[in-house]
Amino acid sequence: TCALPIYLNMEIFTIILVTIPVILAIYGVIRKQRNFVLWGYFIYGVIVLLAELNSYRLNHDFSHIYIAALYGVQAIIAFPNKMSYTGSKTMKSLAIKNWLSLMLINVIGIYVVNNNELPELFAYYHIILAIIPLIGMYFMATNKIPIEENN
């Protein structure tokens, strides 16, 4: 049998690992299910946070701490909760701020990927994760998000 070198196995594993939350977020947009979108962003944020902390541990480049903190913020913003989208002005305002924050974080992610030795595919994932908030804001502006009662 022909075994792949360990670094290729690890790269394939990493690509599969980060693909899952991106697919989850895309699925959430297609189904207009906010919690799937949030879980995708949350999991992606945690993955990047842990990867950057590990990179800092290995080479002590402090820029990894900045990136880890940024994706820690993404995980905090996206942490799914049981709060329903009620369509109130307060909820819309908060949602817009959250969407813009997630968009900005992932625009920075595009820059980080393009300026480091990371698979180009990751830049495309950040592009997708930067576009999804625009879709969310469009859905809000056109009242295409189902209004729910808080439980």
Side-chain angles (χ1 to χ4, degrees):
T1 63
C2 179
L4 290 172
I6 188 128
Y7 68 89
L8 278 179
N9 284 334
M10 198 59 184
E11 187 169 318
I12 291 168
F13 171 76
T14 303
I15 289 171
I16 291 169
L17 183 66
V18 298
T19 300
I20 293 168
V22 173
I23 290 172
L24 194 59
I26 293 169
Y27 175 78
V29 169
I30 292 168
R31 302 289 300 163
K32 295 182 184 170
Q33 296 288 321
R34 182 177 64 94
N35 274 338
F36 284 107
V37 175
L38 294 177
W39 274 111
Y41 278 92
F42 173 75
I43 294 168
Y44 199 91
V46 169
I47 290 169
V48 175
L49 168 75
L50 295 175
E52 290 298 326
L53 290 176
N54 187 53
S55 294
Y56 175 74
R57 183 184 63 82
L58 295 173
N59 68 19
H60 302 289
D61 179 352
F62 203 74
S63 66
H64 294 293
I65 296 294
Y66 297 133
I67 298 166
L70 190 62
Y71 283 88
V73 169
Q74 174 169 305
I76 291 167
I77 290 170
F79 187 78
N81 57 45
K82 294 184 184 223
M83 205 164 140
S84 300
Y85 180 71
T86 62
S88 71
K89 286 183 181 182
T90 303
M91 181 64 83
K92 281 185 179 182
S93 174
L94 178 62
I96 288 170
K97 290 175 186 178
N98 287 347
W99 285 128
L100 289 172
S101 298
L102 293 172
M103 185 174 67
L104 178 61
I105 289 167
N106 284 284
V107 166
I108 292 169
I110 298 165
Y111 172 80
V112 169
V113 170
N114 287 334
N115 288 285
N116 289 285
E117 294 179 19
L118 295 167
E120 186 179 349
L121 178 64
F122 294 172
Y124 292 110
Y125 287 169
H126 285 289
I127 290 169
I128 291 167
L129 294 173
I131 291 172
I132 287 174
L134 295 173
I135 297 168
M137 288 185 285
Y138 169 77
F139 285 162
M140 286 175 38
T142 58
N143 295 319
K144 293 187 185 216
I145 296 177
I147 304 294
E148 304 169 2
E149 294 293 322
N150 276 327
N151 296 330

